Amino acid sequence: MDILFTNATILPMTAAGDEPRTFTGAVGVAGNRIALVTASGSEADAFRTCSPGVRVIDCTGRLLMPGLVNTHCHAAMTLQRSYADDIALMEWLNDYIWPFEARQTADDVALGMTLGIVEMLLGGVTSFVDMYYHENRCVEVARRLGIRAMLGCNYFDNNVDEVLPEAEKAVALAADCDRIQIALAPHSPYTVSPENLRRGKELARKWGLHFMTHIAETRDEVRIVREKYAATPVEHLDALGMLDDKTIGAHCIHVTDSDIRTLARRGVAVSHNPQSNMKISSGVAPVEKMRAAGALVTIGTDGTCSNNDLDMFEELRTAAFLQKSATGDPVALPAYETLKLATVNGARAMGYAEGELGVIRPGALADLIVVDLQKPHLQPIHDLVSNLVYCGKASDVDTVMVDGCIVVENRRVAGVDLPKLYADVAAAVERITGR
């Protein structure tokens, strides 16, 4: 069914320089692509006339914009939400997170992924980049719920021989769904050997996949890599041939000026996770330095055990405020540039061509969200983009479209029985923790 959004305040994310950021008009969707973007009432009427059976959605008082792109998360870790808080990182990993994960089954991971995707869809996330285990099982979940996803098969030295065959199976399972990509995802340069990093990258190149890993997240990581390889994590990965425009590096907090130039030169997409970094006390990523150097910076939430949610609106606000605070410059990372990190830049990080995703323009993929502006915290509107970035909330999202299909309407996720999902999650957690 063709769909026509009318009477909308449209934020297309295509404005340059001093061009207006928004306008009032209509957007028509045919199949999985945007067919019409117009401020003309007559053009909207013509689309309606030429599309028998078109569904019209009146967006009076609402904003229509591209869906948000979360470039780094561990969605199935919703099962560990608030499980291990206020604990130092290494104790957190060794005594809580990894033992919990060792007791999880593939079914548990699929269940946690379901909860995570539902949370993201309700918050306006239409695309996400994941990094976890049993991603072959998560292909079906992402397909069923209608979200766009890049599922990174995470491995360490001790499970690489188990994960790589799973990754191959995931590639086959996702082959017939354009919305779903598979990626290779070694945990980090301090937990995965050079040999196994190369194995993952070689397979990624063989299958045409993206490659992702945590980079320079903590000072301990930098110290360990220096002691082992006499290099920074970025230098080490670059020497191994890991860095290129199909690489996503999560965090990139403790990077040198030389590292930043390397990331920019290689075309690596950096996923900035401000709230997770703050909570674990990892540090503040030099986002403004990276942007100035020409690096592709995006935004991710990280997992719900270190955040503790998948709310990208909170990440936008935090990213902007944190850079202003860290640099002492109130002009750092302005609202519109912040929003680009979670739309246009996120789409590029996932490998989409310029203008294909993360924007509202004819021919682009129809991944759209409708935000209800009739909220006390969004009024008055002096600057709509500022309101969205500095005041917006996940709960403001009313309707979500992915690939031309409406997957959330009136804050209801299509095909999901929420009470049953919550009960299943509670039962799984009770079994895993032995409570």
Side-chain angles (χ1 to χ4, degrees):
M1 178 186 295
D2 292 348
I3 295 176
L4 180 65
F5 297 92
T6 62
N7 303 314
T9 298
I10 301 169
L11 175 60
M13 296 308 300
T14 57
D18 294 329
E19 292 177 354
R21 308 296 195 215
T22 65
F23 65 94
T24 301
V27 172
V29 175
N32 71 335
R33 299 273 174 174
I34 296 170
L36 173 74
V37 181
T38 184
S40 165
S42 60
E43 288 184 1
D45 289 341
F47 182 87
R48 186 186 289 111
T49 301
C50 294
S51 304
V54 64
R55 181 183 175 191
V56 178
I57 298 177
D58 185 357
C59 293
T60 300
R62 296 185 287 175
L63 170 74
L64 184 68
M65 63 173 287
L68 301 177
V69 182
N70 181 350
T71 55
H72 181 66
C73 72
H74 314 284
M77 289 184 81
T78 48
L79 296 189
Q80 299 171 51
R81 191 194 314 270
S82 303
Y83 170 66
D85 287 334
D86 308 321
I87 298 169
L89 178 61
M90 290 306 169
E91 180 186 357
W92 181 76
L93 286 170
N94 289 293
D95 297 346
Y96 293 90
I97 303 308
W98 289 338
F100 186 107
E101 291 176 338
R103 294 190 292 269
Q104 287 185 134
T105 66
D107 287 342
D108 294 330
V109 170
L111 181 63
M113 175 65 77
T114 301
L115 182 61
I117 290 176
V118 166
E119 180 181 352
M120 285 191 281
L121 285 174
L122 284 169
V125 174
T126 53
S127 301
F128 76 106
V129 176
D130 197 60
M131 182 179 185
Y132 210 58
Y133 312 104
H134 303 297
E135 296 283 33
N136 57 326
R137 289 292 309 280
C138 296
V139 171
E140 185 277 330
V141 178
R143 186 198 306 266
R144 174 168 52 85
L145 294 177
I147 200 166
R148 193 178 302 279
M150 178 182 287
L151 305 175
C153 300
N154 184 212
Y155 67 85
F156 294 77
D157 283 335
N158 63 1
N159 69 349
V160 61
D161 292 324
E162 174 187 344
V163 171
L164 294 185
E166 284 189 356
E168 186 167 11
K169 184 176 181 181
V171 170
L173 290 171
D176 64 344
C177 184
D178 291 339
R179 284 186 291 104
I180 302 172
Q181 304 178 60
I182 306 301
L184 271 298
H187 176 263
S188 69
Y190 74 98
T191 56
V192 180
S193 68
E195 176 190 357
N196 286 327
L197 287 168
R198 287 194 185 98
R199 287 176 67 187
K201 189 65 174 180
E202 286 168 4
L203 283 180
R205 287 183 173 129
K206 175 182 176 182
W207 297 333
L209 310 180
H210 273 63
F211 180 88
M212 66 185 76
T213 190
H214 299 97
I215 302 177
E217 180 178 4
T218 67
R219 288 186 175 87
D220 276 346
E221 174 189 337
V222 174
R223 175 184 56 78
I224 292 167
V225 172
R226 278 195 179 279
E227 289 174 355
K228 282 187 174 182
Y229 309 112
T232 69
V234 171
E235 289 168 345
H236 174 57
L237 290 169
D238 192 40
L240 294 174
M242 302 293 107
L243 305 182
D244 56 35
D245 61 1
K246 298 194 81 169
T247 301
I248 299 175
H251 303 291
C252 298
I253 299 169
H254 301 286
V255 287
T256 66
D257 290 348
S258 176
D259 289 338
I260 291 172
R261 289 192 294 272
T262 298
L263 293 170
R265 185 170 64 253
R266 300 297 187 207
V268 174
V270 174
S271 181
H272 176 43
N273 306 163
Q275 290 198 340
S276 174
N277 297 345
M278 291 167 64
K279 187 190 175 198
I280 301 179
S281 193
S282 298
V284 181
V287 168
E288 285 298 75
K289 277 191 173 184
M290 292 189 223
R291 292 179 62 235
L296 178 63
V297 181
T298 66
I299 292 184
T301 58
D302 210 352
T304 56
C305 202
S306 63
N307 187 307
N308 292 25
D309 59 31
L310 301 171
D311 186 338
M312 281 287 285
F313 281 92
E314 285 190 0
E315 296 297 329
L316 289 169
R317 174 186 172 104
T318 304
F321 285 7
L322 191 59
Q323 284 305 298
K324 297 174 192 301
S325 176
T327 62
D329 180 3
V331 179
L333 202 56
Y336 191 67
E337 294 303 313
T338 303
L339 198 54
K340 281 184 178 179
L341 307 189
T343 52
V344 179
N345 288 13
R348 283 180 55 198
M350 291 183 71
Y352 289 94
E354 183 177 354
E356 187 177 19
L357 185 70
V359 296
I360 297 180
R361 64 188 301 175
L365 289 163
D367 287 15
L368 307 170
I369 63 175
V370 178
V371 178
D372 185 359
L373 300 177
Q374 304 307 300
K375 300 287 184 75
H377 58 274
L378 292 175
Q379 297 290 330
I381 301 176
H382 294 294
D383 185 313
L384 181 55
V385 174
S386 289
N387 274 16
L388 194 66
V389 173
Y390 300 145
C391 315
K393 303 180 186 305
S395 57
D396 298 332
V397 176
D398 173 80
T399 300
V400 177
M401 169 182 279
V402 183
D403 213 36
C405 296
I406 292 178
V407 293
V408 174
E409 189 166 13
N410 297 321
R411 294 204 56 75
R412 292 185 175 89
V413 184
V416 176
D417 181 341
L418 287 178
K420 183 180 186 306
L421 174 61
Y422 301 153
D424 290 345
V425 166
V429 168
E430 184 176 355
R431 191 196 74 251
I432 293 167
T433 60
R435 292 173 185 164

